[in-house]
Amino acid sequence: MTDPDARPQSGSGLGPATGPETSPETGPARGGGPAYPLSWRLLDAIEGLAALWPARASGAVKWALLAPALALVALLLWGLGVMADASLREMDFRTYRLSEDWSLANYARALGSGAFWATARRSLLAAAVVTIICLALAFPYAYAMTRTRSARLRKLLLVGLFLPFFIGQVVRAYGWLIVLGQEGLANEALGALGLGPWRMLFQYPTVLFGLVQYMLPFAVLMLAPALAAIPEEVERAAESCGASWPRALLHVVIPMALPGLIAAALVVATLTLTDFATPAILGGGTNDFLANLVYDQFFRTSDAGLGSAITLLLTLAGTTVAGVLLAAAGVAALGVRGAR
Amino acid sequence: MTDLSRRRLLTTAAALGGASALPFGLRAQEPEKPAEIIVRAWGGVWVDSLKKGVSDPFTAATGVAVRHDLTEDNEIKPRIWAAVDQGRIPPIHINWDTTANATSSALRGACEDISDLPNLANVLPLARPIGLDGVPIVNTYAYVYVLAYRPEAFPDGAPTSWNVLLDPRFRGRVALYNDGIGFHPAAQIAGGGTLADIPGDMDACWEFIAKLKDQQPLLGEDPDFTAWFQNGEIDVACTISSNAREARANGVDVAWTVPQEGAKVDTDGMWIPKGLPENELYWAKRYIDFALSLEAQQVWLDGLGLPGVAPGLTPPADLAGDPSYPTTEADFAKLLLVPPRIQAEHTAEWFAKFKEIMQG
C-alpha cells in the first residue's frame, strides 16, 4: 500500500523518523519531533488498523471489498426475480389484480403483438446504428484529445466532452425541439435560403440523431483512457519501420485500443437499446422503443404482468447484444486479465 | 384583504360550515387538523385553477395547508396501490384523477367510500359514479374531447366532421393522445359504427384509426397539444377543450368544434386512498366536499372552462352556448359517453390495439 522508498516512515513504530523538518501541511517542526504531512500520518494509522485484521481472514479481504458491489447485484437479481414472478401472472381487469396462478400468457401476448416486434426492431436497429456512428465519431475525437500537443486544444476538447454531462438528456432533447421544429432555427435558416420548411422532428432518423448526440460523450469517455494508455512511441516505432500513419493507426493503434472500443460499444449499445426519453420526446409518439412500451404497460394500462414480461424480454435482448459483442471480440478484448 | 376576497372567505367559511353541520360520522368535535393535506393534480392551468378555486379558500377557512403533488395520475397509481396493499399510509390524501383511471383503483378496492359527503346531496347526478358499489369516487366536472383546429388552415370555416383528420392536406399535421384516449367513440361513429357497439364490435373504430395512421399523426399528452399548436407543428387535433382554450389564452390562434358525429364526454373526479389516519381522512373528505360546493366550483371551473356538478354555475362568458360546455340533458345527449367502468375494463385491450396500429 505504501512505498518505503518513496517516503520516510513516520513514528508509527515501524522505524526511526528520517523525514524533512518542514512540510506544506505541517509547517516547521516544533519541540524537536518529526514533522510529516497529515495525510501520511492518516495512511500510517490506517496501516496500523489493517494490522489488526487477523491473518487467517486475509482471504476474506477481497470479498469484503466486493461486498457492496455484490449487494447491488443481489438487489438487481432480487428485483428481476420479483419481475419474473409478476411476468407469470395475468392481470384481471375486473379487479385490477394479478392472478394467483402462473402461466406464460403475458409472454404469448407480448410475442404475439405487432407493437412489441415493431418497437423491438426499432430499438435494436437504433442500438446498432447509434453505436457504429458514435464509435466512428468518438475515435477521432478521443485520439485528438489524447495526442494533441496543444494544451488549449486539449482543454477545449475536454470541455466539449464534459459539458453535455451537465445538461440532462431531457433538456437536450427539448433543445432539439426548438432547433428542429417547424418554426425552429434550422427551418428559419432554410427559409432564408428559400427552402423548406421541412418536417424534421418526430421521425425515426431524428430520434437516432438525438441519441447519437446523447451517447457520443459516453463513447469518448470510454475510448480516451484506452488511447491514452497506448504509448506514442509505439506509433513512432511502426512509422520508423516504414508504416504510413494510416497503416500504423489501422494495424497498431486500433487493435491496441480494442478494449476501449468494445467497452464504448457495450455502453452505447445497451444504453440506446433501453433508452426512454429521447424516443418519447423526439419520436412524436409513433417511434417508441421497448422501454416506452414497458412504461405504457406499468403506468398507462396498470398491467404489471405484461410490463414485467416485456421488461424481461428487453433484459434478454440487452444481454444478448452484450454477449454478441463480447463473443465477437473475446472477453480478453476488454483487458480482463486471464480471460480467453 | 379586498372586499371581494373578504366576501369570498365568508362564503367559503359558510360552505365549509354547512358541511360541518352534517359532519362525517356525526362528530361532536372536529378531529385534529393535519399540518397539510396533499392533493395530486395536473400541472399548468389545471393546478392553478384548483389552487385558486379550492385549495387556497380551503386553507383560508380551515387553516389546513394544501400541497399539490404534480406526479402524473398514472404514475401515482401504482404507488398508492402498493401502499394500500402493504398497509402503509398512502403518499397523498386526495387523488384528482380521470374517472376511468379512478375506476380501476375502485375496482381494486383502493378507495375509501365517500358517500357521506354532505354536498353530495346537493349536486347533479353526474357526480356519482356509475356501476360501482358505494361512492368510491365523486365526479367533479365533465369535459369534452373536441376537434381543435387552427382557423388559418380552415379558411372556409370550422370543420364539420372527424373525417377532416383524413384529409391529405393535413398529412403529418394532425394529433391525438398517445394512448388514443378520447378518440375511440368519435372514430367509431366516423368509421360507420355505432356507440352502442362499444365495446362489443369496434371494427369501425380501428379501421378509422388505421386510416389515420397513414396521415402520420403526432401522438402526445396535454401539454404537447398546446406546444404543437404554438409551434405550428399541427393544424388539427383531438384534445380536451381546456387545452385548446388555454392555448388560445396564450395567444395561439386556435378554435374548436364538436363535429356532427359528436365528441366524447368524460368526467374527472376525486378519491381518497385507503389507509389514512382517521383525522386526515376527515380533512380529506372536507376538502372534496368543499370542491363540490358552488363557491369552489365557480372559480375552479371558470379557470378550466368546464361544466361542474354544482347546480347554478354560471358559464364563463366565452363558453356560453358552446357545445363543449354541456349543461343540460339535451347538451349531453349530443355527446358520446362510454361508461367509466367499461373504459376501465377495456383500457388495456384498446390501448394494445391502438399501439398495434400506431407503432406498426
Side-chain angles (χ1 to χ4, degrees):
Chain A
M1 189 185 294
T2 55
D3 181 0
D5 296 332
R7 65 180 178 83
Q9 298 292 336
S10 68
S12 59
L14 298 174
T18 55
E21 291 298 304
T22 61
S23 84
E25 287 182 55
T26 60
R30 289 182 187 177
Y36 299 115
L38 181 63
S39 54
W40 294 13
R41 290 169 185 270
L42 282 173
L43 282 172
D44 286 337
I46 292 168
E47 261 187 12
L49 283 175
L52 298 175
W53 187 263
R56 278 181 304 169
S58 60
V61 170
K62 59 186 176 192
W63 293 108
L65 291 172
L66 276 174
L70 291 176
L72 279 177
V73 172
L75 200 62
L76 179 71
L77 291 175
W78 178 70
L80 280 175
V82 171
M83 287 246 181
D85 176 71
S87 74
L88 297 170
R89 300 178 191 276
E90 227 182 331
M91 177 62 78
D92 178 352
F93 288 101
R94 288 165 303 174
T95 59
Y96 274 84
R97 290 194 178 271
L98 293 173
S99 66
E100 293 292 323
D101 305 324
W102 278 2
S103 79
L104 293 172
N106 288 321
Y107 290 95
R109 273 174 68 199
L111 296 172
S113 148
F116 172 81
W117 288 109
T119 50
R121 194 169 54 244
R122 205 174 282 138
S123 307
L124 286 164
L125 181 63
V129 171
V130 171
T131 302
I132 291 166
I133 294 174
C134 278
L135 290 186
L137 296 178
F139 190 89
Y141 192 104
Y143 187 82
M145 197 168 72
T146 53
R147 290 292 194 261
T148 181
R149 305 210 181 283
S150 161
R152 187 176 292 177
L153 178 61
R154 185 177 298 110
K155 280 179 191 162
L156 191 69
L157 291 172
L158 278 167
V159 169
L161 170 63
F162 285 106
L163 198 60
F165 285 110
F166 300 124
I167 306 166
Q169 184 184 15
V170 173
V171 176
R172 272 190 268 170
Y174 271 105
W176 288 120
L177 291 184
I178 296 166
V179 174
L180 300 176
Q182 203 77 359
E183 295 173 3
L185 297 175
N187 267 318
E188 269 184 29
L190 285 172
L193 299 171
L195 301 169
W198 291 339
R199 163 58 61 82
M200 289 183 242
L201 283 176
F202 315 127
Q203 322 270 344
Y204 187 52
T206 316
V207 176
L208 297 183
F209 178 73
L211 282 167
V212 166
Q213 193 246 358
Y214 175 59
M215 300 292 171
L216 187 57
F218 289 103
V220 175
L221 205 60
M222 302 301 288
L223 260 175
L227 287 171
I230 303 170
E232 282 187 62
E233 291 77 6
V234 176
E235 281 179 74
R236 287 204 208 105
E239 286 170 24
S240 72
C241 291
S244 61
W245 178 77
R247 286 195 69 175
L249 191 73
L250 191 64
H251 295 290
V252 177
V253 179
I254 290 179
M256 290 182 78
L258 201 56
L261 285 166
I262 295 297
L266 272 174
V267 167
V268 172
T270 50
L271 285 181
T272 301
L273 184 68
T274 55
D275 197 63
F276 172 85
T278 304
I281 295 169
L282 296 180
T286 51
N287 291 287
D288 284 358
F289 282 19
L290 277 171
N292 305 95
L293 202 59
V294 169
Y295 175 91
D296 288 340
Q297 302 313 321
F298 276 107
F299 297 110
R300 287 194 198 286
T301 66
S302 305
D303 191 345
L306 184 58
S308 297
I310 299 173
T311 302
L312 291 182
L313 291 171
L314 175 57
T315 308
L316 181 67
T319 311
T320 307
V321 166
V324 166
L325 274 171
L326 288 175
V331 181
L334 279 178
V336 179
R337 198 167 52 178
R340 294 170 199 215
Chain B
M1 185 182 283
T2 63
D3 187 46
L4 182 65
S5 61
R6 192 181 303 117
R7 203 179 316 132
R8 186 141 177 251
L9 179 60
L10 289 171
T11 54
T12 301
L16 283 157
S20 62
L22 186 65
F24 319 108
L26 295 171
R27 289 166 189 276
Q29 197 178 357
E30 282 181 341
E32 183 192 349
K33 291 177 180 176
E36 64 173 10
I37 57 171
I38 305 168
V39 180
R40 194 220 68 83
W42 292 282
V45 64
W46 298 85
V47 70
D48 292 344
S49 304
L50 182 77
K51 185 173 185 299
K52 187 177 171 192
V54 186
S55 300
D56 285 351
F58 178 81
T59 302
T62 64
V64 177
V66 178
R67 180 150 59 95
H68 299 108
D69 180 332
L70 302 187
T71 307
E72 269 293 306
D73 50 350
N74 290 319
E75 291 173 10
I76 199 91
K77 192 164 66 171
R79 287 171 53 194
I80 295 174
W81 288 4
V84 171
D85 282 356
Q86 294 162 12
R88 290 186 284 113
I89 294 176
I92 55 168
H93 292 85
I94 293 156
N95 197 1
W96 179 20
D97 204 352
T98 65
T99 302
N101 205 32
T103 299
S104 64
S105 294
L107 291 172
R108 191 181 163 96
C111 308
E112 286 282 359
D113 182 83
I114 46 177
S115 55
D116 54 354
L117 299 183
N119 271 329
L120 262 181
N122 310 322
V123 292
L124 300 174
L126 184 69
R128 288 178 179 269
I130 305 165
L132 295 172
D133 297 333
V135 183
I137 309 155
V138 290
N139 299 324
T140 45
Y141 53 81
Y143 55 91
V144 177
Y145 290 90
V146 294
L147 183 64
Y149 62 95
R150 284 199 318 130
E152 192 186 343
F154 292 88
D156 299 332
T160 56
S161 166
W162 288 102
N163 279 298
V164 74
L165 295 173
L166 304 180
D167 188 331
R169 275 190 305 147
F170 302 118
R171 187 178 165 86
R173 299 191 60 80
V174 303
L176 302 174
Y177 282 97
N178 53 14
D179 46 10
I181 192 171
F183 191 59
H184 300 120
Q188 173 83 355
I189 310 287
T194 67
L195 189 62
D197 285 337
I198 296 176
D201 176 7
M202 293 177 64
D203 287 350
C205 166
W206 303 126
E207 282 164 20
F208 189 85
I209 290 175
K211 286 181 197 164
L212 192 50
K213 158 75 176 163
D214 296 335
Q215 285 285 82
Q216 299 176 354
L218 299 189
L219 305 177
E221 298 184 25
D222 284 329
D224 296 321
F225 291 97
T226 308
W228 288 339
F229 273 121
Q230 197 152 10
N231 300 335
E233 298 286 350
I234 56 172
D235 290 324
V236 60
C238 171
T239 186
I240 296 174
S241 56
S242 300
N243 296 324
R245 188 168 178 252
E246 175 67 359
R248 193 167 67 182
N250 288 341
V252 183
D253 187 18
V254 176
W256 59 89
T257 184
V258 172
Q260 62 200 14
E261 297 93 346
K264 187 187 179 198
V265 61
D266 233 326
T267 51
D268 284 347
M270 288 182 172
W271 58 278
I272 301 172
K274 282 182 177 169
L276 289 176
E278 276 297 311
N279 66 317
E280 295 180 24
L281 172 63
Y282 174 87
W283 288 103
K285 284 184 178 181
R286 286 284 298 269
Y287 181 92
I288 297 182
D289 194 54
F290 175 59
L292 294 175
S293 69
L294 179 66
E295 298 76 30
Q297 291 232 313
Q298 186 67 65
V299 179
W300 175 24
L301 301 179
D302 270 4
L304 295 176
L306 298 173
V309 294
L313 287 169
T314 308
D318 62 318
L319 293 175
D322 190 311
S324 72
Y325 192 95
T327 53
T328 65
E329 288 280 328
D331 291 340
F332 277 98
K334 293 175 194 161
L335 299 168
L336 310 171
L337 175 69
V338 178
R341 181 159 187 158
I342 292 197
Q343 291 186 56
E345 289 181 352
H346 292 85
T347 291
E349 175 194 334
W350 295 347
F351 182 79
K353 186 75 184 171
F354 185 81
K355 281 279 169 183
E356 189 93 31
I357 295 169
M358 288 299 173
Q359 296 297 332

